[in-house]
Amino acid sequence: MRLSRYFLPTLKETPREAEIVSHRLMLRAGMIRQEAAGIYSWLPLGKRVLDKICNIVREEQNRSGAIEVLMPTLQPAELWKESGRYDAYGQEMLRITDRHDRPMLYGPTNEEMITAIFKSGVRSYKDLPLNLYHIQWKVRDEVRPRFGTMRSREFLMKDAYSFDLDADAARRAYYRMFVAYLRTFARMGLTSVPMKADTGPIGGDLSHEFIILADTGESEVFCDKAMLDLPIPSEDTDFTGDLSDLVAPFTKPYAATDEMHDQAAFEAAVPEERRVSARGIEVGHIFYFGTKYSAPMGAVVTGPDGKDVPVEMGSYGIGPSRLVPAIIEASHDDDGIIWPASVAPFNVGIINMRAGDDACDAACTELEWQLQAQGIDVLYDDTDARGGAKFAQMDLIGLPKQIIVGPKGLKNGEVEVKDRKTGERTLMSPQAAINALTAS
RNA sequence: CGGGGCAUAGCGCAGCCUGGUAGCGCACCUGUUUUGGGAACAGGGGGUCGCAGGUUCAAAUCCUGCUGCCCCGACCA
């Protein structure tokens, strides 16, 4: 992509409304634009990151055996009256009326609809286990949206729903998602900590929030330092097997958000030097809720004994539109964003120090072409801005690697490869640069 | 939903107290000189001062009402 043909409205100054660093950087890097309180447009750079995140989420969901569907954002109120949540949900549910005066709503979540879908397609226990998920915009008319896309009124969520014959099978389904979540966040360069969460009226221990530690997090969290260094299950994990041994190391150590925190238990369980008390961002939430929706909505399967039983369900959420700022909170410096390679909007930035100079133009074009031929996403700054401005902008938008091409280097047949994170710069031939950047 | 604040060019702001018809920096356009960490000079374009009323010869400025947005708290992917 040529910068001269792209739409990248970056800002030197921070818009006044932005308080936290991720919101500021997303606005300055031209990733989003606010349309109303808690409602944002995603501009090209932001859209690329969001798509990369969704693809990682999708790959890990698929790997775990979940199947993708797509449900609408608009739902009939009727469905929610069946479950009893139409009245229970309150002001956060954005309700509208269609031209026939039928009450509708913008979906804040999809338990009801997925249960209806399940009901219409499944009769037998032989069709279980089943896990259906989608990635769709959700609407919650938040009392106080804030922090950019971290807490917005319209947000993208991956929500998966598992269906099983009994509680044991439901637990196995829960563990599959647990492992998928560990892998998903790790692939984005994040250290996530699963923390016991409130299970509400269902009880049990099958609810976890996945928390990223960050100073600007909304909740206070406590955990054993050992949790931060646990190895992540590999991509060869057999999701058809029993995953309890993989999950156990993550559920045994102490880890709790403030609402579940018990200081005495914390001190008893964790030696002082390993006690971490920090702030965190919730990027995922999984829970098992049994027959809470299947029973009132009549979602049953016929068991091996010929009797109908309501299915055991769980639901599993990840917020991609929240992960974007979460990753920035976890990975930035004074100059801007530092994208982990897996979610970077472009892998490599090329800076032409002397646009219009034949040798520089030719070298840049060749690099751009060669890298793109290898499947590398390249943003080539071919504008005639001064070098300093180009460096600053490239650092702001956080591309992991940069190639600096200028007359000084080219005199010796060299270009400079810069690592955004370390700031390290290395002179090498263009071919060596291509080799280095396509190696992994 | 309670408490506080803000609204003037795309962005950041000054002007308001003490009324006289709008200004600065960045960005943008033209030209020249430049070019290795947010260039310099010269010229230029862009604003129903959030909206609606009112006071006044005259309102960005004073008064009233409304709307939008931000922050702090209680609630949440």
Side-chain angles (χ1 to χ4, degrees), chain A residues 370-386:
Chain A
Q370 292 276 354
L371 287 166
Q372 283 180 170
Q374 306 261 359
I376 307 280
D377 285 331
V378 177
L379 182 65
Y380 166 25
D381 184 347
D382 60 335
T383 66
D384 62 2
R386 285 177 75 90

Side-chain angles (χ1 to χ4, degrees), chain A residues 209-400:
Chain A
E209 291 179 8
F210 286 75
I211 305 276
I212 304 303
L213 301 188
D215 294 340
T216 46
E218 288 191 275
S219 46
E220 202 174 358
V221 298
F222 306 86
C223 74
D224 187 332
K225 195 168 187 299
M227 289 214 69
L228 305 178
D229 302 315
L230 290 170
I232 300 299
S234 82
E235 66 173 49
D236 304 326
T237 301
D238 175 9
F239 280 89
T240 62
D242 180 2
L243 300 181
S244 50
D245 288 347
L246 286 178
V247 171
F250 291 90
T251 54
K252 288 223 172 79
Y254 189 96
T257 58
D258 47 2
E259 53 215 19
M260 298 290 285
H261 180 59
D262 176 342
Q263 185 64 27
F266 186 41
E267 286 172 15
V270 186
E272 189 166 1
E273 69 275 11
R274 294 217 316 258
R275 282 178 213 149
V276 175
S277 106
R279 301 201 66 81
I281 301 166
E282 181 186 352
V283 290
H285 195 167
I286 61 179
F287 47 96
Y288 163 67
F289 49 73
T291 59
K292 181 175 175 186
Y293 301 98
S294 55
M297 295 181 68
V300 300
V301 291
T302 308
D305 57 2
K307 287 182 182 154
D308 285 355
V309 290
V311 284
E312 297 284 328
M313 293 176 59
S315 75
Y316 314 89
I318 290 181
S321 55
R322 170 179 284 185
L323 273 164
V324 178
I327 292 167
I328 295 172
E329 290 292 334
S331 183
H332 68 271
D333 63 17
D334 289 346
D335 295 327
I337 302 166
I338 304 172
W339 291 114
S342 59
V343 298
F346 296 91
N347 307 103
V348 175
I350 298 174
I351 294 178
N352 188 339
M353 294 302 298
R354 194 75 59 90
D357 174 271
D358 289 344
C360 289
D361 290 353
C364 287
T365 304
E366 181 66 13
L367 281 165
E368 177 194 30
W369 195 85
Q370 292 276 354
L371 287 166
Q372 283 180 170
Q374 306 261 359
I376 307 280
D377 285 331
V378 177
L379 182 65
Y380 166 25
D381 184 347
D382 60 335
T383 66
D384 62 2
R386 285 177 75 90
K390 295 185 172 194
F391 289 129
Q393 177 168 263
M394 200 61 88
D395 285 347
L396 171 63
I397 67 174
L399 306 190

Side-chain angles (χ1 to χ4, degrees), chain A residues 56-111:
Chain A
I56 292 175
V57 169
R58 188 174 279 122
E59 283 173 20
E60 295 302 328
Q61 291 291 294
N62 293 348
R63 191 196 307 282
S64 80
I67 304 165
E68 187 168 12
V69 297
L70 182 58
M71 292 177 267
T73 55
L74 275 172
Q75 307 186 19
E78 224 171 278
L79 206 48
W80 288 68
K81 288 178 178 162
E82 267 183 61
S83 72
R85 284 211 288 180
Y86 190 66
D87 297 321
Y89 220 96
Q91 295 265 294
E92 242 182 54
M93 178 185 277
L94 186 60
R95 299 154 206 259
I96 61 162
T97 306
D98 74 8
R99 67 198 299 161
H100 304 293
D101 230 25
R102 278 192 286 254
M104 311 281 286
L105 56 95
Y106 281 102
T109 175
N110 287 65
E111 278 85 0

Side-chain angles (χ1 to χ4, degrees), chain A residues 12 17 36 42 48 55 93 128 189 264 287 305 312 382 413 435:
Chain A
K12 268 199 217 178
E17 75 267 16
W42 290 78
R48 276 182 166 261
N55 280 333
M93 178 185 277
L128 304 182
F287 47 96
D305 57 2
E312 297 284 328
D382 60 335
N435 293 344

